[in-house]
Amino acid sequence: MRVRKAVFPAAGWGTRFLPATKAQPKEMLPLVDKPVIQYAVEEAVAAGVEQVIIVTSSQKRAIEDHFDLSYELERLLEDKGEIEKLRQVRHISDLAQVAYVRQKEQLGLGHAVLMAKDLIGHEPFAVLLPDDVVISERPCIGQLIHAYERTHGSVVAVMQVPQAETGRYGIVEVGPDDGQLNGGRLHRMSRMVEKPDPEVAPSTLAVIGRYVLTPKIFDKLEQTQRGAGGEIQLTDAIEALMQEQSVFAYEFEGTRYDAGTTMGWLRATVDLALQRPDLASEFREHLRSLDAAP
């Protein structure tokens, strides 16, 4: 069955970016001139996703407004002859069919995914964490969908990290016989460990915020007890799923930015600005002037 739907958990408080996020969702913070969440939605649509399901909370109306029509703004731009800006604004509301579901309590990523159960139904689906911005020639989630179509098992995006940084991520252990699947990028998972100390980490393959999951994950999430921080962990449910179905780790192609941290957001902003033909030359000149400053 084809992957047609994608879930975007976006109900968190965004406390790392206070005070900017006191009245504005962190997912709406701009990277150059687009909000963070739009990058993930565009990635999913480019991979063939037809329905976007955004899990929000009571403080996230700005996200709904962003992906909705804005008749007044469109009329203003049309009257002023700002055709390119009008095209950009209409593109946002035309991206995909967007649905919203509220996460009334902040009970973790696993709970946020579970909130989308009724909208997903009995079909495989993608999960994209908006904080993880991935820039690649092929959409990152599209790479995972392709792997799912080959294996018919859940697929988790992973990347190599320094041994000293394993304590910041979920780390996967992979089977010894599957290293050559898809040119060595696809591995059958045997275990997932949340934030292990470097000396006991089973590998340096770290999970990032891209998943393709079979609908069986909902059964596991409903059975998962609250774990660290009193939250329902998606990691625990995937561990339980591995007892019944094969789960795969895929080393995606592309560059990932953790836009959920201040430094990651700054790096993403700089790198994306330098990739923009209309900004790169002047911005690069500005950065060079900073290097030359006394």
Side-chain angles (χ1 to χ4, degrees):
M1 187 178 292
R2 195 163 67 85
V3 177
R4 303 183 305 115
K5 301 177 182 180
V7 177
F8 296 76
W13 286 103
T15 53
R16 289 176 177 174
F17 283 96
L18 285 170
T21 51
K22 179 176 180 289
Q24 175 180 239
K26 64 174 181 175
E27 295 83 8
M28 291 301 296
L29 294 175
L31 285 177
V32 188
D33 53 8
K34 285 195 300 191
V36 170
I37 192 171
Q38 187 174 331
Y39 288 88
V41 171
E42 289 178 341
E43 176 189 327
V45 171
V49 167
E50 299 171 2
Q51 183 175 13
V52 166
I53 300 165
I54 302 178
V55 182
T56 65
S57 63
S58 59
Q59 309 301 315
K60 304 293 180 119
R61 283 297 303 275
I63 297 175
E64 299 180 28
D65 291 343
H66 181 70
F67 289 105
D68 199 359
L69 290 170
S70 178
Y71 295 107
E72 296 85 355
L73 177 58
E74 290 186 15
R75 175 63 63 85
L76 174 67
L77 294 173
E78 190 170 6
D79 290 347
K80 293 176 65 176
E82 300 272 11
I83 304 304
E84 177 57 25
K85 290 182 180 178
L86 176 62
R87 184 196 64 79
Q88 292 174 358
V89 168
R90 284 181 174 167
H91 164 74
I92 297 168
S93 58
D94 291 339
L95 271 171
Q97 177 188 352
V98 183
Y100 299 91
V101 60
R102 284 282 181 93
Q103 185 183 18
K104 297 178 181 178
E105 294 182 85
Q106 304 301 304
L107 297 179
L109 175 57
H111 183 259
V113 172
L114 184 57
M115 292 296 95
K117 177 182 177 180
D118 290 343
L119 292 175
I120 294 296
H122 300 285
E123 56 184 283
F125 64 101
V127 177
L128 296 89
L129 306 192
D131 286 354
D132 277 341
V133 176
V134 183
I135 306 301
S136 55
E137 289 188 14
R138 291 192 301 148
C140 178
I141 199 64
Q143 297 173 43
L144 268 64
I145 290 172
H146 179 70
Y148 166 79
E149 290 170 346
R150 294 185 57 199
T151 63
H152 301 290
S154 296
V155 186
V156 176
V158 295
M159 68 179 190
Q160 294 284 354
V161 298
Q163 185 82 32
E165 295 182 13
T166 57
R168 296 173 47 199
Y169 300 91
I171 301 296
V172 304
E173 183 175 353
V174 299
D177 300 324
D178 293 320
Q180 295 309 308
L181 289 174
N182 200 51
R185 290 190 175 274
L186 185 63
H187 312 272
R188 193 183 308 271
M189 285 170 47
S190 57
R191 188 162 61 112
M192 183 185 294
V193 183
E194 189 66 27
K195 299 180 179 178
D197 291 333
E199 58 271 17
V200 297
S203 76
T204 53
L205 287 174
V207 177
I208 68 131
R210 298 291 185 274
Y211 309 81
V212 172
L213 301 169
T214 64
K216 187 69 175 177
I217 194 68
F218 292 124
D219 294 339
K220 300 307 176 185
L221 285 168
E222 289 174 334
Q223 298 163 10
T224 299
Q225 300 297 312
R226 296 190 188 188
E231 298 180 340
I232 297 174
Q233 302 291 341
L234 182 60
T235 299
D236 293 341
I238 292 174
E239 277 268 23
L241 184 65
M242 279 191 282
Q243 307 306 312
E244 296 184 23
Q245 299 179 350
S246 292
V247 178
F248 297 86
Y250 187 84
E251 295 185 65
F252 66 94
E253 301 174 56
T255 302
R256 173 254 187 181
Y257 300 94
D258 182 0
T261 66
T262 304
M263 186 53 66
W265 178 82
L266 288 169
R267 288 193 180 105
T269 299
V270 171
D271 287 2
L272 290 170
L274 290 173
Q275 293 175 26
R276 285 272 297 268
D278 58 329
L279 298 174
S281 179
E282 186 176 354
F283 188 45
R284 186 173 283 108
E285 184 178 338
H286 170 67
L287 294 176
R288 286 172 178 160
S289 73
L290 296 178
D291 288 338

